[in-house]
Amino acid sequence: MVFLPDDLCATILSRLPIKVFTSFKLVCKQWNSVVESLIFRDLFISQHQNTQSSAWSLITGGVDRREFLAHYRCKTWGLERSLDSYISSFLTYKLENQRDSYRRGSVVAYSDAGFVLIDVSSYSHAGSTFVRRSLCVANPVSQECIEIDAPKAFENKGIFWPCGIATRTDNGVVISYKIVAYSSESDIESLGLMIYSSETGLWSQKLRLPSEIRRCDYTISLNGNLHWLSSNNNELVSMDFNATTKASGPFRYTDFPDLKKRVKFRRACTTYQGSLMYMNIVSQVNDDRSIDHKLCVWRLKSWEWKPISEISMSLTETKYDYIPLRINSFDATTAYFLSKKHQRLISVNLRNGECLLHNELERSSGGRILSSVHFQKGSYFHSFVLPQWLYRLPRQHGEKGVDII
């Protein structure tokens, strides 16, 4: 067999999508060594730096997880199916189809490193006897996972709601992660937060919740921090795990930029290429009593909202009729909204304000799926976006890991 020099081998493999070259690691030791090297990672990222797209999905939260919009056939990853199908496969083959055990897992959070957090309950005797509760941190595409025991005090009593996972990266490697969970030994009025650190392998003592914070159904994981909305919907609450010396502890509070204006949407945030974004339609009454509706987009930078776009548009339904979802990672000129009135998905062109009402069960050859968007009152929505690189899970403090298959 003729072996190519490592630099030539790396140059060839770096032009392939992630899903393709990771399978080539099994070909020979040389290819495995090349793909696992930091030099190859840097080369791959430089080759794809102008391809600012990645696979992503919009998924409803809760037990009845359902993907209603998916984009997956990007050049960076080369996936042939949507992200939720990888999640379903992982739950089936890694958790539920195990001999002599009955396990059920529910995805409760998503991270910007491409990981999902799964709440797992294990039973014996065909599901009749509870055995233990645990959490799985998993990469559903590579099927790599780590299982962590829930705190003993909350295995089968009290309140324990895992709600977020934040990952810390350094030089392209995930070096640690933190899991945040609501907990209470008795009732919901005494809720606090517990934090698990992969660096110590321990759960922290319960952290008291400030009055501005309520129990939230979902968090946004971005750049090592967690974000969600305050109870009055006027502030963004962030857990800044690097700000341990502040008087407020890990919490930061950022007012939304349109508090003194008339807005159409209930406030919500999304992400776009490593930044936290906020969108809303601001209505302004002119001197002649006509009303201008402008879709404004802000980006969070240095803990301040910076305006980046403002366009006139024709979304004039009643207040709070629309739910802003996300900006398309494939196309920075498109934003998605969900209409509660029409139970339909609407895309808005951020250049000219034109709106398009989408049909159900749309498919495209470019790797887009739009399924039924009917949702119940109180539903919430996760945006799961793969990064520009395949991150491995850090193994620390005796966590039980399952290798990539």
Side-chain angles (χ1 to χ4, degrees):
M1 179 181 294
V2 177
F3 289 93
L4 297 174
D6 284 358
D7 56 347
L8 179 58
C9 183
T11 300
I12 295 172
L13 293 179
S14 67
R15 297 178 183 274
L16 300 173
I18 293 174
K19 188 61 178 173
V20 175
F21 72 66
T22 51
S23 63
F24 286 174
K25 294 195 300 181
L26 302 177
V27 172
C28 64
K29 290 183 179 180
Q30 183 200 18
W31 285 22
N32 179 73
S33 176
V34 168
V35 171
E36 291 289 339
S37 68
L38 294 178
I39 295 176
F40 176 79
R41 187 213 65 215
D42 294 339
L43 182 60
F44 175 85
I45 293 175
S46 67
Q47 292 277 10
H48 293 78
Q49 62 183 349
N50 295 324
T51 309
Q52 293 295 331
S53 66
S54 190
W56 62 273
S57 292
L58 289 172
I59 304 172
T60 55
V63 177
D64 299 325
R65 185 191 78 254
R66 187 164 56 84
E67 180 182 61
F68 63 89
L69 179 60
H71 286 254
Y72 56 90
R73 196 168 289 157
C74 66
K75 294 180 180 180
T76 303
W77 281 86
L79 303 183
E80 293 298 322
R81 51 196 176 101
S82 68
L83 294 183
D84 190 65
S85 69
Y86 284 97
I87 294 174
S88 297
S89 297
F90 175 84
L91 292 175
T92 299
Y93 295 109
K94 292 293 185 181
L95 295 179
E96 297 172 2
N97 288 353
Q98 300 291 325
R99 288 186 177 182
D100 303 321
S101 67
Y102 181 88
R103 312 181 82 193
R104 281 292 177 264
S106 176
V107 179
V108 293
Y110 303 79
S111 93
D112 59 336
F115 304 154
V116 297
L117 179 63
I118 305 169
D119 192 357
V120 181
S121 295
S122 301
Y123 303 85
S124 62
H125 302 97
S128 61
T129 304
F130 176 83
V131 175
R132 62 189 284 263
R133 189 175 179 187
S134 60
L135 299 175
C136 269
V137 180
N139 185 319
V141 177
S142 67
Q143 304 235 325
E144 181 186 23
C145 70
I146 289 174
E147 189 166 2
I148 303 158
D149 288 332
K152 295 294 183 183
F154 300 101
E155 276 201 332
N156 56 9
K157 63 180 181 179
I159 298 173
F160 184 74
W161 292 319
C163 62
I165 174 172
T167 50
R168 181 184 172 197
T169 61
D170 182 37
N171 196 27
V173 177
V174 175
I175 57 176
S176 65
Y177 57 86
K178 286 183 169 62
I179 298 171
V180 176
Y182 288 95
S183 64
S184 174
E185 293 82 1
S186 53
D187 53 54
I188 197 169
E189 298 299 325
S190 59
L191 272 181
L193 288 177
M194 296 187 70
I195 302 173
Y196 173 86
S197 172
S198 66
E199 295 174 298
T200 63
L202 300 173
W203 288 94
S204 68
Q205 296 296 316
K206 189 170 71 172
L207 184 66
R208 188 178 68 85
L209 283 175
S211 58
E212 299 88 348
I213 301 178
R214 63 177 180 180
R215 183 204 163 204
C216 62
D217 292 314
Y218 72 98
T219 57
I220 297 176
S221 171
L222 187 67
N223 301 327
N225 301 321
L226 290 179
H227 309 274
W228 66 96
L229 300 183
S230 64
S231 55
N232 60 14
N233 202 240
N234 290 338
E235 293 176 310
L236 176 73
V237 180
S238 305
M239 288 196 74
D240 181 3
F241 293 104
N242 297 318
T244 56
T245 59
K246 294 197 301 94
S248 58
F251 300 108
R252 283 183 177 269
Y253 307 94
T254 308
D255 288 340
F256 283 104
D258 52 9
L259 294 182
K260 297 181 180 180
K261 301 177 182 179
R262 294 172 57 185
V263 297
K264 278 193 171 291
F265 306 148
R266 182 172 178 82
R267 293 183 176 91
C269 293
T270 182
T271 61
Y272 178 71
Q273 294 185 5
S275 296
L276 200 65
M277 312 293 289
Y278 169 59
M279 300 180 288
N280 217 320
I281 289 184
V282 177
S283 300
Q284 180 177 345
V285 180
N286 301 319
D287 293 337
D288 60 358
R289 295 189 178 182
S290 62
I291 300 177
D292 286 338
H293 304 285
K294 292 188 176 181
L295 175 61
C296 300
V297 182
W298 292 267
R299 184 196 306 269
L300 188 67
K301 185 176 182 180
S302 300
W303 302 104
E304 293 183 1
W305 293 109
K306 304 292 185 181
I308 62 171
S309 174
E310 182 180 292
I311 57 169
S312 297
M313 59 182 306
S314 59
L315 282 182
T316 57
E317 299 286 354
T318 58
K319 188 176 183 181
Y320 296 159
D321 180 72
Y322 298 97
I323 301 174
L325 296 175
R326 74 167 286 105
I327 297 173
N328 191 341
S329 296
F330 279 68
D331 177 8
T333 65
T334 305
Y336 290 104
F337 300 82
L338 199 59
S339 169
K340 294 186 286 186
K341 177 180 178 179
H342 301 289
Q343 291 277 299
R344 301 283 285 278
L345 190 76
I346 296 174
S347 62
V348 177
N349 188 310
L350 295 178
R351 289 178 178 170
N352 56 30
E354 291 182 355
C355 304
L356 178 63
L357 190 65
H358 291 272
N359 296 317
E360 297 180 3
L361 301 175
E362 289 183 359
R363 288 179 178 269
S364 73
S365 59
R368 186 185 75 177
I369 298 174
L370 171 61
S371 62
S372 172
V373 295
H374 294 290
F375 59 95
Q376 298 178 347
K377 184 178 180 180
S379 297
Y380 52 96
F381 309 92
H382 294 285
S383 179
F384 184 35
V385 185
L386 292 185
Q388 296 296 105
W389 180 248
L390 175 63
Y391 289 112
R392 298 292 302 268
L393 284 164
R395 301 283 173 79
Q396 295 163 335
H397 295 280
E399 294 164 330
K400 290 168 278 188
V402 179
D403 289 332
I404 292 178
I405 61 172

